Amino acid sequence: STLTPFAEVEDTLKRIQGINGVIGTIVVNAEGIPIKTTLDNSTTVQYAGLLHQLTMKARSTVRDIDPQNDLTFLRIRSKKHEIMVSTDKEYLLIVIQNPAE
Amino acid sequence: KKDINIHLIRNCLPKMEIVYVYTKKRSEFGRQCNFSDRPAELHVDILPDISLAANFTVRDPCNVTVQCAEEMSEHEVNTERFESESRGINHVEGGWPKDLNPEDMEATIRYRKKVEKDEHYQNTIMQIAGLMEHCCKQNNATDIYQEFFEDEDEEVLEESEEQPSAKTINVFRDPNEVKRTATSLSWHPDGNHKLAVAYSSLEFQRAPNDMSFDSYIWDIENPNKPEMTLKPVSPLVCLEYNPKDSHILVGGSYNGQIAYWDTRKGSQPAEMSTIEHSHRDPVYKVTWLQSKTGTDIFSASTDGQVLWWDIRKMSEPTERLVLDPSKKGNLDNALGAVSLEFETTMPTKFMVGTEQGLVVSCNRKAKTPAEKIVCTYSGHHGPIYALQRNPFFPKNFLTVADWTARIWSEDIKESSIMWTKYHMAHLLDGCWSPVRPSVFFTIKMDGTLDVWDILFKQNDPTLSLKVCDEALCSIRVQDNGRFLGCGSQLGTTTLLEISAGLCTLQKNEKAMVSEMFERETKREKILEARHREMRLKERSRSEQSREDEGKETDGEENAEELVACAEREFFEIMEAEKKKERNEEKQRDKENGVCEEKEFQEEHENVSRFL
């Protein structure tokens, strides 16, 4: 596409937020600073902090078992919804979705 | 006074303190020990007391356990408890850089914008967002926690796992010395506690002189002796209880007569049809009709007739139908009837299964005898021993004949819609299950009973059971679908109980069977249409070619001329053949005789020279 990278990112995030059932989208950096969010600040900060730690733990678990391996995706299914965390060394993309009925 | 030193000995155990105190004069410290010697003194001498032995008994042998193993001792060790605790720290606000005040909105926004413009950030987000999208969509596509089968009753699952089976409850043997075939069975209409069995020998003129003519009514609890005997003048080939009146039974006999019994009146028939007006061949089937009086029956025989009777007046049949397919009522052309089908829900129609393998569908209410026969269904190669409509789907009926059982649809006359494979033994009787539309039973000449469930398996029976070593000739299922009786060639009637799975209506069974019949009917319709098309094409093509031929041989329509022409042709062919033979002979002789001729010639020459 002819969009600038900046616009592409915006577009992608908007698209994800637009998927059926998605409640919120958060982008967090390694320090825990929420870069982009569709939820209010306090919720964002809470999700960011908790999921960051959990992701770290999950990653270390995966690497303890096999050092060549690495965590790519984390999915937490709860009664009410599903929290998905897509990770990278520096950034975290968190999406909360209500799965289809 | 010197100081008194108190020595305290303290035990090492942490909580207990044992103290022993002694005193010693200071002046006595350090002095050497003064030992003296003295002889041994006997203090106590206890002699053995034998009376004490009475308190003890000798134990011989003594059991001592010995273990041939390394002696080991057990020790417990506990490390010092390592206490660990999980602690978490909750972010209140992200780790903003030191120089940034989180409260400052502008600064934070600026910081965020800066990050968003970062190339690394953009690349990373594009990557991880792709994965995320996939998973979000996946969630929407399927609910992985969906409960399957939550509507299904637990019980139904259990039942369907049960293996179909059948077990013999009782066996009723022909009490006579000379065994006859159990040709027909009829269950008592109320409660099914009694079974009427008709015995006869269907082997033409092979019945021994002392063969008994009796048929019996058995109480199913008592296989030792029949409850009642029926004494007809000729052995009964078929026997039926009146569904409306359980005291009345009607039987068709080997000599063509019909008789009825009232069980309250004894073993002799209450009334019999007159010989002149009866059938001329054994009566193979007699069925009760639906009527106000409940006394109407009709009977079928291989003499080609179907007769209607009122049992109160057996001198003459009330109606007569000759099974002439050409609809002319010609008895010489008639098909022999071996089975009848009548459904009380469709009182105007009935069907007849014939010896020739055709099923004839008839209408009782037709004005003229010619209109009585509506249509025929062909497909079987031998006598139709059983003919019955499906109790749930009356448009479909079952026929059992030759080596197969076939299911038909009323609408398709050229072929059955479903059929079993050709078995190794003849099938001699069959019937539908009264409680399950997809189940039917067939019996074979090798003594096996097959239970078919067309929803479960169509190529083979669901259950195949060897009931006896001789042929099974008749079968009848009780109204509950659970018990059935089958009669054998040697007069042995076996009462069987089938497993619950085979006589309990399954979920959606009716819908599925209906679907199956419809589908097969449709298939046959399409085939029929196709065949008709092909036949039309063939006919038109052959007509076309006949027309062409006709043009050439137009002048030779005269029979004489044709004969003369034929003769001419014949002699021409004969001449040609003879010529060919002569030529062949000559050729053969030539080949053989070339040498001979030469020799002959040479000799001839020699002789002539000589001469």
Side-chain angles (χ1 to χ4, degrees):
Chain A
S1 72
T2 53
L3 292 168
T4 60
F6 177 77
E8 251 195 291
V9 168
E10 288 288 315
D11 202 38
T12 308
L13 291 174
K14 240 190 230 128
R15 200 171 54 237
I16 291 178
Q17 182 61 31
I19 292 176
N20 191 16
V22 170
I23 301 171
T25 313
I26 307 168
V27 179
V28 192
N29 76 350
E31 272 88 52
I33 303 170
I35 308 295
K36 257 202 122 48
T37 176
T38 61
L39 303 167
D40 61 272
N41 197 36
S42 49
T43 318
T44 304
V45 163
Q46 193 180 30
Y47 268 106
L50 292 167
L51 286 168
H52 195 265
Q53 283 180 48
L54 186 62
T55 312
M56 289 299 114
K57 195 71 181 186
R59 176 175 281 133
S60 68
T61 307
V62 169
R63 295 191 71 144
D64 276 350
I65 293 168
D66 179 4
Q68 316 285 33
N69 209 354
D70 196 5
L71 177 74
T72 52
F73 206 91
L74 189 61
R75 262 169 127 157
I76 304 162
R77 191 66 169 253
S78 72
K79 271 205 288 195
K80 297 194 181 160
H81 32 246
E82 179 159 333
I83 304 166
M84 289 170 277
V85 181
S86 188
T87 83
D88 182 76
K89 284 270 157 44
E90 279 207 33
Y91 298 97
L92 232 70
L93 172 57
I94 302 166
V95 171
I96 302 118
Q97 185 187 25
N98 230 334
E101 286 308 309
Chain B
K1 282 277 164 100
K2 303 287 178 212
D3 288 4
I4 302 171
N5 273 317
I6 301 173
H7 291 261
L8 297 167
I9 303 167
R10 196 169 281 155
N11 198 295
C12 290
L13 291 173
K15 294 245 165 80
M16 276 168 45
E17 263 188 30
I18 302 173
V19 173
Y20 174 71
V21 180
Y22 72 93
T23 55
K24 194 168 178 181
K25 263 204 202 153
R26 191 76 176 45
S27 52
E28 288 174 358
F29 281 178
R31 223 193 260 179
Q32 81 177 97
C33 300
N34 239 350
F35 290 111
S36 58
D37 199 8
R38 62 176 160 92
E41 275 174 34
L42 182 66
H43 287 266
V44 180
D45 187 9
I46 306 172
L47 291 169
D49 184 0
I50 308 209
S51 65
L52 286 175
N55 294 335
F56 299 89
T57 53
V58 177
R59 191 197 217 165
D60 185 6
C62 275
N63 286 327
V64 176
T65 46
V66 168
Q67 185 163 327
C68 181
E70 253 184 64
E71 281 199 25
M72 291 194 266
S73 63
E74 192 184 307
H75 292 280
E76 269 178 42
V77 169
N78 206 354
T79 54
E80 269 180 38
R81 189 110 186 277
F82 178 74
E83 295 225 13
S84 67
E85 220 178 282
S86 277
R87 294 278 175 101
I89 308 168
N90 208 353
H91 259 195
V92 174
E93 188 65 61
W96 297 100
K98 283 217 178 87
D99 54 353
L100 215 151
N101 179 13
E103 308 292 317
D104 187 355
M105 277 283 285
E106 265 193 49
T108 52
I109 291 172
R110 221 182 305 135
Y111 182 86
R112 286 202 177 97
K113 279 251 153 74
K114 194 178 87 189
V115 173
E116 281 181 33
K117 297 233 160 69
D118 181 26
E119 202 186 310
H120 177 62
Y121 165 85
Q122 286 162 356
N123 289 335
T124 311
I125 295 299
M126 286 312 291
Q127 220 180 349
I128 60 181
L131 203 54
M132 180 60 74
E133 237 188 303
H134 168 78
C135 289
C136 287
K137 287 190 187 155
Q138 202 179 55
N139 274 342
N140 285 334
T142 331
D143 181 9
I144 64 174
Y145 293 106
Q146 184 189 16
E147 274 289 330
F148 297 125
F149 306 124
E150 68 182 349
D151 297 327
E152 289 261 333
D153 220 21
E154 288 280 328
E155 282 179 36
V156 175
L157 282 173
E158 275 177 43
E159 258 192 55
S160 57
E161 285 174 29
E162 183 196 311
Q163 280 280 11
S165 63
K167 60 175 186 209
T168 312
I169 306 287
N170 245 332
V171 177
F172 307 92
R173 292 181 210 282
D174 187 358
N176 299 298
E177 278 265 338
V178 177
K179 305 286 178 202
R180 295 113 0 115
T181 308
T183 47
S184 177
L185 302 166
S186 177
W187 286 98
H188 191 271
D190 299 318
N192 293 320
H193 293 303
K194 292 200 242 262
L195 181 62
V197 186
Y199 296 89
S200 58
S201 173
L202 291 172
E203 288 167 41
F204 184 60
Q205 296 190 336
R206 270 204 241 154
N209 287 337
D210 50 356
M211 187 180 94
S212 156
F213 290 175
D214 297 340
S215 288
Y216 303 110
I217 297 180
W218 298 86
D219 179 333
I220 58 173
E221 311 275 315
N222 181 10
N224 299 317
K225 194 162 130 37
E227 190 181 280
M228 185 164 166
T229 310
L230 302 173
K231 294 186 185 297
V233 293
S234 166
L236 291 178
V237 180
C238 57
L239 185 55
E240 285 291 330
Y241 265 104
N242 184 343
K244 297 280 165 65
D245 182 355
S246 56
H247 299 289
I248 311 283
L249 296 107
V250 71
S253 29
Y254 192 68
N255 69 353
Q257 280 181 293
I258 317 280
Y260 91 91
W261 279 262
D262 187 329
T263 52
R264 297 163 291 200
K265 295 200 186 134
S267 303
Q268 295 298 325
E271 208 178 316
M272 284 181 53
S273 61
T274 49
I275 293 251
E276 305 84 34
H277 295 112
S278 303
H279 290 281
R280 304 258 182 281
D281 253 6
V283 182
Y284 281 92
K285 189 81 195 242
V286 69
T287 311
W288 289 91
L289 286 169
Q290 179 89 305
S291 73
K292 286 183 229 135
T293 54
T295 53
D296 291 300
I297 57 165
F298 67 144
S299 60
S301 162
T302 39
D303 66 353
Q305 298 178 85
V306 176
L307 301 173
W308 278 261
W309 308 83
D310 182 332
I311 58 169
R312 296 168 297 184
K313 186 168 169 287
M314 299 277 261
S315 51
E316 238 186 9
T318 54
E319 227 182 299
R320 189 168 171 266
L321 171 66
V322 174
L323 286 170
D324 179 7
S326 62
K327 305 198 184 175
K328 294 203 189 96
N330 191 352
L331 205 57
D332 295 324
N333 261 357
L335 306 163
V338 259
S339 50
L340 281 176
E341 185 285 324
F342 177 75
E343 249 319 298
T344 48
T345 50
M346 295 192 288
T348 56
K349 294 200 278 195
F350 67 95
M351 294 199 284
V352 185
T354 63
E355 226 179 344
Q356 287 76 4
L358 286 170
V359 174
V360 184
S361 174
C362 309
N363 182 352
R364 269 194 83 193
K365 297 292 177 204
K367 304 275 164 53
T368 64
E371 283 173 29
K372 283 235 164 105
I373 298 178
V374 175
C375 59
T376 60
Y377 300 87
S378 58
H380 274 296
H381 309 290
I384 313 265
Y385 294 112
L387 175 60
Q388 191 191 7
R389 287 187 196 266
N390 187 315
F392 293 81
F393 301 100
K395 279 198 123 196
N396 300 91
F397 57 94
L398 171 73
T399 55
V400 174
D402 55 65
W403 304 270
T404 60
R406 288 172 189 271
I407 299 177
W408 305 72
S409 162
E410 265 190 344
D411 308 321
I412 312 284
K413 311 216 180 5
E414 288 187 5
S415 150
S416 49
I417 61 171
M418 291 170 72
W419 55 92
T420 66
K421 62 175 187 223
Y422 279 84
H423 292 91
M424 298 303 281
H426 279 270
L427 268 69
L428 293 177
D429 201 358
C431 58
W432 288 102
S433 164
V435 289
R436 284 192 63 184
S438 73
V439 174
F440 65 91
F441 305 88
T442 56
I443 47 168
K444 304 214 283 284
M445 209 158 188
D446 59 1
T448 45
L449 163 71
D450 291 324
V451 183
W452 300 78
D453 179 352
I454 53 178
L455 284 180
F456 180 67
K457 221 198 291 192
Q458 281 149 33
N459 293 331
D460 290 303
T462 302
L463 177 64
S464 190
L465 197 62
K466 186 141 172 80
V467 176
C468 54
D469 291 326
E470 65 270 13
L472 282 173
C473 299
S474 56
I475 179 170
R476 200 55 91 84
V477 186
Q478 264 191 24
D479 292 327
N480 57 24
R482 193 165 182 136
F483 292 93
L484 55 99
C486 32
S488 80
Q489 204 178 13
L490 295 177
T492 309
T493 309
T494 314
L495 177 65
L496 294 145
E497 179 183 353
I498 56 172
S499 54
L502 289 169
C503 52
T504 327
L505 194 64
Q506 306 284 324
K507 258 189 161 190
N508 291 334
E509 188 172 331
K510 279 200 230 174
M512 288 203 275
V513 172
S514 166
E515 239 187 85
M516 185 184 281
F517 285 158
E518 270 175 37
R519 185 183 66 220
E520 298 301 323
T521 309
K522 198 162 148 210
R523 179 180 59 85
E524 282 300 324
K525 265 207 190 103
I526 294 171
L527 282 175
E528 219 183 287
R530 189 93 180 78
H531 283 150
R532 224 177 300 141
E533 251 185 65
M534 283 176 21
R535 258 179 285 152
L536 271 167
K537 259 202 214 137
E538 264 298 315
R539 216 179 297 156
S540 62
R541 213 185 306 141
S542 67
E543 274 182 13
Q544 192 65 23
S545 62
R546 232 184 295 141
E547 268 185 32
D548 296 334
E549 267 179 47
K551 286 199 188 105
E552 289 176 8
T553 59
D554 228 351
E556 309 228 18
E557 304 253 341
N558 198 344
E560 278 184 12
E561 285 185 24
L562 282 171
V563 169
C565 178
E567 269 188 23
R568 226 183 308 133
E569 275 180 35
F570 175 72
F571 285 118
E572 275 172 25
I573 293 169
M574 283 299 293
E575 279 302 319
E577 279 293 318
K578 276 198 206 153
K579 226 183 191 174
K580 206 166 87 181
E581 255 187 63
R582 265 179 268 141
N583 282 343
E584 275 179 13
E585 253 189 60
K586 257 197 211 153
Q587 194 64 20
R588 249 180 284 135
D589 285 343
K590 242 193 187 166
E591 285 170 20
N592 286 350
V594 157
C595 330
E596 281 184 17
E597 255 193 37
K598 255 202 168 158
E599 284 178 20
F600 182 75
Q601 275 217 346
E602 281 174 8
E603 271 203 32
H604 192 75
E605 279 178 0
N606 288 344
V607 166
S608 55
R609 233 187 295 129
F610 202 72
L611 288 174

